[in-house]
Amino acid sequence: MRRPHEINDVASLDVSGLDAVLGLVASPLLEKLGALHCDLPLFHVTDATPRFLTDVYGWQVPEGAQATEQSVVRHATATIYSSDVMAARAPLDLATPSLAPDILPFGVNLETTPGKCPSKPSFDRLNLLFVGLDWVRKGGDIAVATLDALKARGQAAHLTVIGRCPEVHAARADVTYLGYLNKNRPGDLRKIISAYTQAHLLLLPSRADCTPMVVGEALAHGTPVVATDTGGIGSLIGAGAGVLMPAFASPKRWAEEIHALVTSPGRYVFTSETGFERAETRLTWSAWATGVTDIVRTRLVPEADNVLPLWQRRAG
C-alpha cells in the first residue's frame, strides 16, 4: 500500500468498483478524492485536529491544514476519532457544529501479546517504566522526580527508560536506560516486551498527548498506567485500569498515589487484570476493524441499523 504523500497524481487513481474509501490520517488525499469523486463515500479516521496540535502540542501545522480538515469532515460520510476527548472538541475546533464523530480507539501495535495476564516480580523493589522520545512533552523529568519522591518516603524503586533520556539521569544507578528500541527488530522487541512484563507500573506524566499506544501496550502486559489526565489518555485507560493524575500534580502527589496503589495488593491485582482485559477486548486492531466495519455498514446501508453488529452475528 502506498502512503498518501507518495501519490502525486490523485486524478489518475482508478476508483471504479470501490464502495468507499477509508483514509487513516490522510486528510489531503481524502480532500482531493472528494473533489474529484463527489459520490464516493469517504470515511475519515484520525486522532487529532490541527487546532489541538497547535494549542496543546505547540506544533506548527502545515499552512492550509485547518481548511483541509474542515473540508474533509464536512464531506466525509463519517469521521472516526480515536478518543472521546477529541471527538468532543472536534466540532468546535473545526467550526462544524453538526459534526457527530464516531469513536474507536486504535489497536496495540504489537504482533503478539501474552494471551494471559503476566505475573509481576516481587514488590520488594518497585519497577517503574517510562516510554517516550520527547522527554519534555512526555514529562520525563516528572517521572524521575517521582522516583526520587518514592525513595524519599522509603520505597525501594527503579526506573527503566525507553526512548530518550538526558545523560544526567541515564547515568544514575537507579535508572536503566535502554535507548530507542525498534519493534521491527526482534532483539529490540524482546527488550520492549521484557520491560513491560517486568514493570509494575507505566508512568506517563505527559504535558500534552493524544492517544499514545504505549498505554495499550502496557495494559496488554498487565501493567497498570499512572498518567496525566490529558488528551485522550483517559479514554484509553478506561475505568479501573490505572490512575489519572491532575495536570501539574507534584511529584510528591504522584508518589502518594503510586504508593497507595502498590501497597494495596487487592487493588493492584484488580487494576492489572482490568487493564489486561481491556487491552485484549477493546484495544486491538481486530476490535477496531469490527467497529469500522459496523460504522461503514450502517452508513452505506441505513437499514442495517436494526441488524445485529458484526461481532454479535459471528458469536451467534
Side-chain angles (χ1 to χ4, degrees), residues 128-148 159-162 164-166 168-170 172 175 203-209 228 251 254:
L128 307 173
L129 177 63
F130 173 86
V131 182
L133 287 173
D134 190 332
W135 180 262
V136 174
R137 180 172 63 82
K138 293 287 187 177
D141 54 337
I142 301 174
V144 172
T146 299
L147 171 69
D148 290 336
L159 177 66
T160 297
V161 176
I162 296 175
R164 293 200 178 111
C165 180
V168 64
H169 301 310
R172 291 176 48 154
V175 173
L203 300 190
L204 192 59
S206 298
R207 292 178 168 89
D209 233 322
T228 308
W254 278 74

Side-chain angles (χ1 to χ4, degrees), residues 1-64:
M1 178 183 295
R2 300 182 69 186
R3 296 182 179 180
H5 69 268
E6 296 173 332
I7 301 174
N8 298 316
D9 186 8
V10 175
S12 68
L13 291 176
D14 181 10
V15 298
S16 61
L18 294 182
D19 294 314
V21 171
L22 181 69
L24 277 67
V25 195
S27 301
L29 175 60
L30 291 181
E31 182 184 39
K32 293 176 182 177
L33 282 173
L36 291 169
H37 308 280
C38 300
D39 296 330
L40 181 64
L42 304 176
F43 290 83
H44 177 40
V45 180
T46 189
D47 62 350
T49 64
R51 181 160 294 171
F52 176 86
L53 296 178
T54 55
D55 292 351
V56 180
Y57 275 54
W59 288 0
Q60 184 175 358
V61 300
E63 184 178 356

Side-chain angles (χ1 to χ4, degrees), residues 61-82:
V61 300
E63 184 178 356
Q66 178 75 0
T68 294
E69 197 71 13
Q70 288 174 325
S71 174
V72 171
V73 300
R74 288 171 181 170
H75 293 93
T77 302
T79 295
I80 307 169
Y81 285 100
S82 59

Side-chain angles (χ1 to χ4, degrees), residues 286-287 289-291 293-294 297-298 304-316:
S286 60
T290 297
T293 299
D294 288 335
R297 284 182 60 255
T298 54
D305 286 332
N306 297 320
V307 178
L308 284 175
L310 186 61
W311 67 270
Q312 287 185 340
R313 298 200 315 277
R314 284 177 176 169

Side-chain angles (χ1 to χ4, degrees), residues 193-242:
I193 292 174
S194 175
Y196 279 126
T197 303
Q198 295 299 311
H200 295 111
L201 297 171
L202 173 72
L203 300 190
L204 192 59
S206 298
R207 292 178 168 89
D209 233 322
C210 199
T211 47
M213 287 318 301
V214 293
V215 172
E217 293 171 3
L219 299 184
H221 290 84
T223 305
V225 179
V226 183
T228 308
D229 189 4
T230 185
I233 291 178
S235 64
L236 283 176
I237 295 176

